[in-house]
């Protein structure tokens, strides 16, 4: 009757002109329109039509009428697809009981609505209910007069996916056991190349990696790759699924820091994508981005820059040729952001600054969330660049702007917000605005500690990140006291930082060294010399392990230890330490004597011994003077810059 209906507005107009209680043709045409909208992805519109239709049909025909139940089922489907999962669940739940009573538990219509209900549970995070619903569904399918094998396999696949969601929620071991069980069942039922099975392999590999089962993860992905190569005709195939499998292997190797293997897989993906599509296609550019990222991860920043500059040119061409430019502009701006960060890595600060300013000038027309994210990343990077250029007030302004953007995007407990607060704290310390640092970090520490408490059951890596963020914030708070000479207030904060870092790091790790050094300086200024000496010795040992003897950081740490020994009048140990460090390849430390050290001690004889072993000109090249009276135990900017970089990572 109304076969030419094109949209819901026309349907509403016609609805007003007809008696729905008697016009079955109109109802049929309405359903046809809704299905057409569904085919075009218009689930919201289809749901809107059915929301008006359902109560009218219920009133005219009764809720137990087959047509009424069909409309209620379709409306639940439309709402679920439109993201209104709670509304969909409220319709599907009573319909299960209704259809089961009228049509029977194994009737296909009953099973269909049960599956919609199970999907609603998945989408709303009710994983236990979802698993129970799918398990019941599987049992009911096996009791059909003619069991539907394809549907059973689909349900088993859904149960496997629930295992993936358990893992995402933090119950990684439980998720692993669920996936292993149902993937095993699928393997026994379908061909090894069946998409219902192969689509689960990346999820299973990811869970294996999270549990440290790296060999099992690699074997799973290798099996996937072999299957796709067999089906696609070899490594050189253009087949999309094969490219995906190669990419998953590359991702695994990159996460395991096996960069040469990762790079080989990414390059194969890039070659296949270029042949299958074209050099400027989004998927080709994505593969090139993975190549660039892996080059950067293995330290070849210049090569990474060359690749990203090619990507930039491709994306500029895409913007110029696009009719709807907004999405392509977004991709181009994201490339600018990544390229700017690479430029910073190699010291091309003006080039980086230029790209970042370009991003800020071209945010108009972007989705609000996208614009805020790009603006925050841009301002963060500009703050770092300007800090390096000693434009401290400008750096603070950009870091403050970055933090403001991020606070509009995320919950206050979100990890990156607190990383931005650490960066802003660095700028405030540079500007000697210590009270502001204290106010900024105190509230943030409480937020992250609440996150740790709320996620006590989550996987270890997330918990470690949270502990590390608390440590970084407390460290900023400690610095704010240290710079105000409040050494006694700084000490318990620094001890707390070390306690937290020792939960997640090796004691020799470089991230331990800054708080150890500052704690040693506090103890030195509080004249607790023996404690300070033990701390400085740990710092020297850590620097030697991390950067080696003779490195600038190691030499500076050794200098502080020597000054401390001199302050305690431990002249013999002082001389022995100088000789031992020099023998290992460090510089010869030469004291600017303040008259306190007795003449004729072992230091004089040791110096003679060294001169006999090595020519005077070699000594001159490796001599380092130490002024024991005016040595500054303040925190230098290189220390703070390293803390800032670590917090961003």
């Amino acid at each position: 009757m109304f076969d030419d209906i094109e949209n819901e507005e026309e349907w509403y107009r016609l609805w007003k002109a007809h008696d729905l209680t008697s016009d079955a043709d109109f109802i049929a045409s309405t359903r046809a329109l809704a299905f057409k909208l569904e085919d075009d992805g218009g689930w919201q519109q289809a749901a809107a039509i059915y929301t008006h239709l359902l109560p009218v049909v219920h009133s005219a025909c009764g809720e137990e009428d087959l047509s009424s139940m069909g409309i209620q089922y379709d409306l639940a489907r439309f709402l679920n697809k439109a993201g209104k999962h709670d509304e969909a669940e409220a319709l599907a739940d009573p319909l299960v009981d209704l259809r089961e009573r009228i049509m029977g538990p194994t009737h296909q219509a009953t099973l269909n609505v049960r599956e919609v209900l199970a999907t609603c549970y998945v989408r709303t995070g009710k994983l236990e209910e979802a698993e129970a619903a799918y398990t019941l569904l599987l049992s009911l399918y096996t009791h059909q007069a003619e069991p539907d094998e394809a549907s059973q396999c689909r349900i088993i696949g859904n149960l496997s996916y629930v295992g993936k969601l358990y893992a995402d929620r933090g119950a990684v071991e439980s998720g692993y056991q669920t996936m292993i069980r149902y993937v095993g069942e699928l393997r026994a039922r379908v061909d090894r190349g069946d998409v219902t099975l192969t689509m689960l392999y990346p999820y299973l590999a990811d869970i294996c990696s999270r549990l440290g089962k790296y060999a099992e993860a690699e074997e799973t992905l290798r099996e996937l790759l072999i299957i796709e190569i067999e089906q696609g005709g070899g490594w050189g195939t253009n087949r999309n699924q094969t490219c995906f499998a190669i990419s998953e292997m590359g991702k695994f190797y990159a996460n395991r820091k096996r960069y040469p293997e990762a790079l080989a897989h990414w390059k194969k993906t890039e070659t296949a994508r270029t042949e299958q599509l074209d050099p400027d296609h989004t998927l080709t550019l994505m593969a090139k981005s993975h190549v660039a990222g892996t080059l950067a991860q293995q330290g070849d920043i210049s090569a990474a820059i060359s690749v990203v500059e090619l990507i930039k040119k491709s994306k500029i061409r895409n913007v110029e040729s696009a009719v709807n430019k907004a999405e392509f502009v977004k991709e181009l701006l994201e490339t600018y952001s990544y390229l700017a960060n690479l430029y910073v890595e190699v010291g091309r600060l003006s080039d980086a600054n230029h790209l970042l300013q370009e991003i800020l000038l071209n945010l108009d027309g972007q989705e609000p969330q996208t614009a805020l994210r790009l603006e925050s990343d841009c301002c963060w990077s500009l703050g770092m660049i300007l800090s390096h250029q000693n434009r401290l007030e400008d750096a603070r302004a950009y870091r403050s702007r970055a933090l403001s953007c991020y606070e509009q995007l995320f919950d206050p407990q979100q990890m990156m917000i607190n990383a931005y607060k650490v960066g802003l704290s660095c700028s405030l310390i540079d500007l000697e605005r210590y009270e502001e640092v204290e106010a900024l970090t105190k509230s943030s520490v409480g937020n992250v500690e609440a996150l740790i408490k709320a996620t006590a059951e989550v996987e270890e890596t997330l918990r470690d990140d949270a502990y590390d963020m608390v440590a970084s914030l407390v460290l900023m708070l400690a610095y704010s006291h240290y710079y105000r000479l409040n050494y006694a207030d700084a000490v318990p904060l620094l001890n707390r930082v070390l306690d937290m870092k020792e939960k997640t790091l090796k004691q020799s790790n470089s991230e331990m060294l800054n708080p150890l050094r500052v704690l040693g300086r506090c103890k030195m200024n509080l004249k607790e010399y023996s404690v300070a000496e033990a701390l400085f010795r740990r710092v020297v040992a850590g620097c030697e392990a991390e950067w080696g003897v003779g490195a600038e950081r190691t030499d500076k740490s050794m200098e502080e230890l020597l000054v401390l020994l001199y302050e305690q009048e431990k002249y013999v140990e002082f001389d022995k330490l100088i000789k031992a460090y020099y023998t290992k390849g460090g510089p010869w430390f030469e004291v600017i004597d303040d008259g306190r050290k007795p003449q004729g001690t072992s230091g004089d004889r040791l110096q003679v011994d060294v001169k006999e072993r090595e020519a005077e000109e070699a000594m001159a090249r490796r001599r380092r003077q130490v002024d024991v009276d005016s040595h500054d135990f303040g925190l230098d900017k290189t220390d703070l810059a390293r803390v800032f970089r670590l917090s961003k990572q």
Side-chain angles (χ1 to χ4, degrees):
M1 182 176 178
F2 299 108
D3 294 336
D4 296 329
I5 296 176
E6 291 295 332
N7 55 59
E8 68 270 27
E9 286 81 7
E10 185 177 355
W11 180 85
Y12 292 139
R13 180 178 61 78
L14 293 169
W15 180 28
K16 293 176 183 177
H18 285 79
D19 180 6
L20 290 181
T21 62
S22 60
D23 201 334
D25 285 344
F26 184 77
I27 294 173
S29 295
T30 300
R31 297 189 73 178
L33 170 60
F35 290 142
K36 181 178 182 298
L37 289 168
E38 180 187 22
D39 290 341
D40 295 337
W43 302 305
Q44 295 271 17
Q45 298 96 318
I49 289 175
Y50 266 40
T51 299
H52 289 283
L53 181 61
L54 182 61
V56 176
V57 176
H58 274 177
S59 176
C61 307
E63 294 185 7
E64 297 185 2
D65 178 76
L66 293 181
S67 180
S68 289
M69 289 192 289
I71 291 171
Q72 185 168 336
Y73 166 70
D74 286 333
L75 178 54
R77 282 196 310 109
F78 296 153
L79 288 168
N80 198 30
K81 288 183 176 180
K84 299 180 178 180
H85 309 302
D86 290 328
E87 294 176 46
E89 181 185 335
L91 286 169
D93 197 4
L95 186 58
V96 167
D97 296 334
L98 196 60
R99 278 189 166 176
E100 188 170 67
R101 177 168 54 82
I102 295 170
M103 308 172 81
T106 60
H107 191 283
Q108 190 59 50
T110 308
L111 299 177
N112 287 344
V113 74
R114 278 195 181 279
E115 192 162 349
V116 170
L117 181 59
T119 307
C120 291
Y121 289 148
V122 168
R123 301 283 170 77
T124 54
K126 299 175 181 177
L127 302 186
E128 290 79 6
E129 291 90 335
E131 185 176 9
Y134 280 131
T135 302
L136 177 57
L137 257 174
L138 186 58
S139 173
L140 291 170
Y141 268 114
T142 61
H143 287 89
Q144 282 184 315
E146 297 181 7
D148 182 350
E149 182 67 18
S151 292
Q152 291 180 57
C153 290
R154 184 180 67 253
I155 300 303
I156 293 170
N158 289 339
L159 280 164
S160 299
Y161 186 72
V162 170
K164 182 258 187 195
L165 297 179
Y166 276 134
D168 290 346
R169 196 170 69 178
V172 186
E173 180 61 38
S174 175
Y176 171 75
Q177 295 299 335
T178 301
M179 283 212 80
I180 284 291
R181 174 185 172 186
Y182 291 112
V183 166
E185 281 196 34
L186 266 184
R187 281 175 172 151
R189 287 172 176 257
V190 301
D191 293 336
R192 64 197 299 261
D194 190 290
V195 68
T196 309
L197 174 61
T198 57
M199 69 182 293
L200 298 170
Y201 280 23
Y203 300 138
L204 178 57
D206 176 60
I207 293 175
C208 289
S209 292
R210 287 197 243 176
L211 290 171
K213 300 175 184 288
Y214 301 116
E216 187 175 343
E218 184 174 3
E219 184 58 36
T220 301
L221 291 173
R222 194 181 301 282
E223 183 180 349
L224 173 64
L225 184 53
I226 290 170
I227 291 169
E228 299 299 355
I229 289 171
E230 287 174 353
Q231 295 192 341
W235 276 102
T237 181
N238 293 334
R239 188 169 173 271
N240 188 57
Q241 289 92 329
T242 308
C243 289
F244 173 75
I246 298 170
S247 295
E248 288 298 309
M249 283 297 295
K251 202 180 299 180
F252 170 78
Y253 287 133
N255 289 337
R256 296 294 300 139
K257 296 183 169 52
R258 292 163 61 176
Y259 299 127
E261 293 160 283
L263 192 58
H265 282 77
W266 292 133
K267 285 184 174 179
K268 285 173 181 172
T269 307
E270 179 192 352
T271 301
R273 292 295 192 198
T274 303
E275 292 174 0
Q276 176 191 12
L277 306 165
D278 65 69
D280 294 346
H281 192 280
T282 299
L283 291 176
T284 309
L285 297 179
M286 187 183 299
K288 287 182 178 178
S289 296
H290 287 311
V291 170
T294 306
L295 287 167
Q297 285 174 313
Q298 65 182 15
D300 196 348
I301 306 298
S302 297
I305 286 173
S306 298
V307 175
V308 178
E309 285 176 338
L310 291 174
I311 294 171
K312 182 185 79 169
K313 291 177 182 177
S314 291
K315 290 190 175 181
I316 289 172
R317 288 194 292 269
N318 288 341
V319 170
E320 290 170 347
S321 62
V323 177
N324 183 6
K325 297 184 184 295
E327 184 62 30
F328 290 100
V329 169
K330 183 189 89 168
E331 291 182 8
L332 177 60
L333 296 181
E334 287 173 342
T335 299
Y336 278 7
S337 179
Y338 182 45
L339 185 55
N341 288 332
L342 292 176
Y343 283 155
V344 169
E345 288 287 325
V346 295
R348 293 171 59 177
L349 300 186
S350 60
D351 290 336
N353 197 326
H354 172 74
L355 285 176
L356 294 168
Q357 296 295 349
E358 279 288 308
I359 294 170
L360 293 178
L361 290 172
N362 287 281
L363 293 177
D364 288 346
Q366 294 298 310
E367 291 290 329
Q369 297 289 96
T370 300
L372 277 172
R373 179 176 54 77
L374 286 167
E375 184 181 355
S376 66
D377 290 346
C378 244
C379 292
W380 173 276
S381 298
L382 283 166
M384 183 166 57
I385 290 169
L386 294 168
S387 181
H388 280 297
Q389 295 173 337
N390 210 34
R391 293 168 57 184
L392 303 181
E393 185 54 50
D394 290 338
R396 183 211 60 78
Y398 273 113
R399 286 173 176 168
S400 182
R401 182 176 167 186
L403 176 60
S404 174
C405 291
Y406 233 81
E407 286 176 332
Q408 294 176 63
L409 284 168
F410 297 108
D411 182 271
Q413 292 181 348
Q414 211 276 345
M415 211 61 82
M416 201 60 191
I417 287 181
N418 294 290
Y420 275 38
K421 288 182 179 181
V422 172
L424 179 55
S425 296
C426 291
S427 283
L428 293 171
I429 286 175
D430 284 338
L431 294 166
E432 300 182 2
R433 290 158 66 166
Y434 306 124
E435 289 79 6
E436 291 179 52
V437 175
E438 183 174 0
L440 183 67
T441 53
K442 269 187 175 177
S443 61
S444 303
V445 169
N447 286 338
V448 185
E449 285 179 327
L451 176 64
I452 293 173
K453 185 176 180 181
T455 57
E457 302 301 320
V458 303
E459 59 187 287
E460 187 175 347
T461 53
L462 294 179
R463 196 166 58 252
D464 287 352
D465 287 344
Y467 276 123
D468 195 47
M469 184 53 63
V470 173
S472 296
L473 290 164
V474 175
L475 188 57
M476 291 294 109
L477 183 57
Y479 287 167
S480 74
H481 286 292
Y482 175 77
Y483 272 112
R484 286 177 286 177
L485 311 184
N486 299 331
Y487 304 122
D489 292 330
V491 165
L493 294 169
L494 291 164
N495 280 323
R496 185 178 171 196
V497 170
L498 291 168
D499 286 343
M500 284 186 287
K501 285 194 173 291
E502 284 172 352
K503 291 179 180 178
T504 57
L505 301 170
K506 299 175 184 176
Q507 290 194 20
S508 61
N509 188 287
S510 59
E511 292 184 47
M512 294 286 292
L513 300 179
N514 283 319
L516 279 170
R517 180 183 289 114
V518 179
L519 182 58
R521 291 167 178 170
C522 287
K523 294 295 186 179
M524 172 77 177
N525 286 299
L526 291 169
K527 303 200 182 303
E528 297 180 32
Y529 296 126
S530 60
V531 178
E533 181 183 337
L535 291 166
F536 283 150
R537 287 187 183 276
R538 283 181 65 185
V539 172
V540 170
C543 287
E544 287 185 10
E546 190 75 21
W547 296 292
V549 172
E552 181 65 20
R553 288 179 178 277
T554 313
D555 289 350
K556 287 170 67 176
S557 300
M558 176 60 71
E559 184 176 315
E560 288 187 321
L561 177 56
L562 289 169
V563 171
L564 181 58
L565 291 172
Y566 203 94
E567 191 70 25
Q568 297 177 84
E569 300 182 357
K570 294 183 176 181
Y571 302 126
V572 174
E573 286 185 52
F574 176 92
D575 289 334
K576 285 181 178 178
L577 193 59
I578 289 176
K579 180 178 179 182
Y581 192 67
Y582 182 80
T583 303
K584 288 191 286 187
W588 179 266
F589 286 93
E590 193 173 75
V591 179
I592 299 175
D593 199 352
D594 65 346
R596 286 183 292 165
K597 182 181 174 184
Q599 296 299 310
T601 62
S602 59
D604 298 317
R605 293 194 299 276
L606 290 169
Q607 191 167 5
V608 171
D609 292 341
V610 171
K611 285 181 179 178
E612 289 175 353
R613 289 190 296 103
E614 190 164 335
E616 177 63 32
E617 59 270 20
M619 280 281 295
R621 285 198 304 271
R622 301 173 62 200
R623 183 175 291 126
R624 185 182 180 108
Q625 290 189 331
V626 183
D627 187 340
V628 293
D629 273 345
S630 61
H631 184 84
D632 180 15
F633 276 95
L635 183 66
D636 58 45
K637 298 303 177 189
T638 57
D639 290 340
L640 198 54
R642 177 161 180 78
V643 172
F644 168 60
R645 285 196 297 275
L646 289 170
S647 71
K648 178 66 167 70
Q649 293 164 0

